[in-house]
Amino acid sequence: MLPFHSTDFIIFSVKKDVILKNFIVFEGLDGAGTTTQAKILAESLKKNNKTVFLDAEPTPSPIGELIRETYLKKKASTTMLALALLYSADRENHLNNPDNGIKKRLSEGSIVISDRYLYSSIAYQGVNIDPLIIENLNNYESPEYVIYIDTPVDECLKRIDKRGDEKELFEHKSFLEKTKQGFDRIFSSLPCGVKFICLNGLENIDLLSQHITEFIKA
């Protein structure tokens, strides 16, 4: 048997080249402010009589709960590849679940907002695993909009500390610095048709929200 090399993986871009209209994704480091801004945008769109579904990854599904409540909270350990596989499985269900998946909601006319998507997997899991492997595990469709809140690592850690909770698996400085580099690499090249904006996470909440609203309406 020939030796295996991670570079032997072939990235199939077919799915990534498919754009899911009215699908909006927020990305950023832990503590960047994505959750706050996703909620603000959802409420703003609802006030304009839009049907909006707000979700996040890991999702509330059993797979997502296993990731969030067990592994991210360090109640049990596993390999980084096993965790990456769980994230990909959670995302497959998030997209394609026949009862409440993203594609079903989009087909029914909803605007779907997700706090994190496949870009987080590539940036976070790509720290410890060849990013080519992570990209192949996440060969899913692209959102129409990607909103990246670029917040310095030290500021993110300050915000995490203010929560008063025990830090999760990835919430430490050296890891987040490498993750930020991953985001920078990912967002330097996105499929044609993805509308992308990078925002300064140090701006105040209202100004960030204004930028986001203008971007979505453009």
Side-chain angles (χ1 to χ4, degrees):
M1 181 179 292
L2 293 174
F4 167 79
H5 300 285
S6 62
T7 51
D8 291 339
F9 269 64
I10 299 172
I11 296 178
F12 298 100
S13 61
V14 175
K15 284 189 177 180
K16 290 187 177 68
D17 289 340
V18 175
I19 308 299
L20 298 178
K21 296 294 184 182
N22 293 320
F23 181 28
I24 303 168
V25 167
F26 281 81
E27 290 286 6
L29 297 174
D30 294 319
T34 59
T35 303
T36 297
Q37 291 300 328
K39 289 177 179 177
I40 292 172
L41 178 61
E43 290 304 315
S44 175
L45 292 171
K46 287 176 182 177
K47 288 178 182 177
N48 286 306
N49 298 316
K50 303 292 185 182
T51 302
V52 180
F53 182 74
L54 174 63
D55 208 350
E57 293 186 354
T59 70
S61 75
I63 303 171
E65 285 296 302
L66 177 63
I67 296 169
R68 181 185 290 106
E69 297 300 324
T70 300
Y71 295 117
L72 293 186
K73 292 188 177 180
K74 298 178 285 188
K75 294 177 182 177
S77 62
T78 188
T79 68
M80 287 296 105
L81 181 55
L83 188 58
L85 289 164
L86 284 172
Y87 271 104
S88 181
D90 187 41
R91 186 161 296 120
E92 162 67 22
N93 182 65
H94 193 200
L95 279 166
N96 296 306
N97 188 293
D99 296 323
N100 56 15
I102 289 170
K103 291 179 188 176
K104 182 175 189 296
R105 294 183 186 280
L106 291 174
S107 71
E108 293 171 344
S110 293
I111 296 171
V112 178
I113 300 173
S114 182
D115 181 9
R116 300 192 180 282
Y117 188 50
L118 60 87
Y119 311 106
S120 279
S121 278
I122 299 170
Y124 277 81
Q125 275 79 62
V127 171
N128 293 309
I129 303 171
D130 188 329
L132 292 177
I133 295 176
I134 306 303
E135 289 184 30
N136 275 278
L137 289 176
N138 290 278
N139 185 29
Y140 299 117
E141 294 86 347
S142 296
E144 182 177 7
Y145 299 94
V146 176
I147 300 163
Y148 175 46
I149 302 181
D150 187 6
T151 307
V153 171
D154 286 340
E155 176 62 23
C156 288
L157 288 171
K158 287 180 185 177
R159 296 176 184 180
I160 291 168
D161 287 338
K162 285 182 180 178
R163 297 173 186 166
D165 299 325
E166 182 181 351
K167 284 188 173 64
E168 292 186 349
L169 182 62
F170 301 124
E171 293 177 343
H172 53 89
K173 186 172 182 177
S174 62
F175 190 93
L176 292 180
E177 286 174 341
K178 293 174 184 176
T179 302
K180 189 176 186 304
Q181 292 172 6
F183 275 127
D184 292 340
R185 179 184 64 82
I186 295 161
F187 294 138
S188 66
S189 178
L190 288 170
C192 181
V194 175
K195 300 168 186 174
F196 172 77
I197 190 171
C198 177
L199 297 172
N200 181 359
L202 293 177
E203 291 185 334
N204 68 59
I205 291 174
D206 291 339
L207 186 56
L208 273 175
S209 174
Q210 180 181 334
H211 291 324
I212 292 165
T213 299
E214 291 170 354
F215 170 63
I216 297 298
K217 289 182 177 178

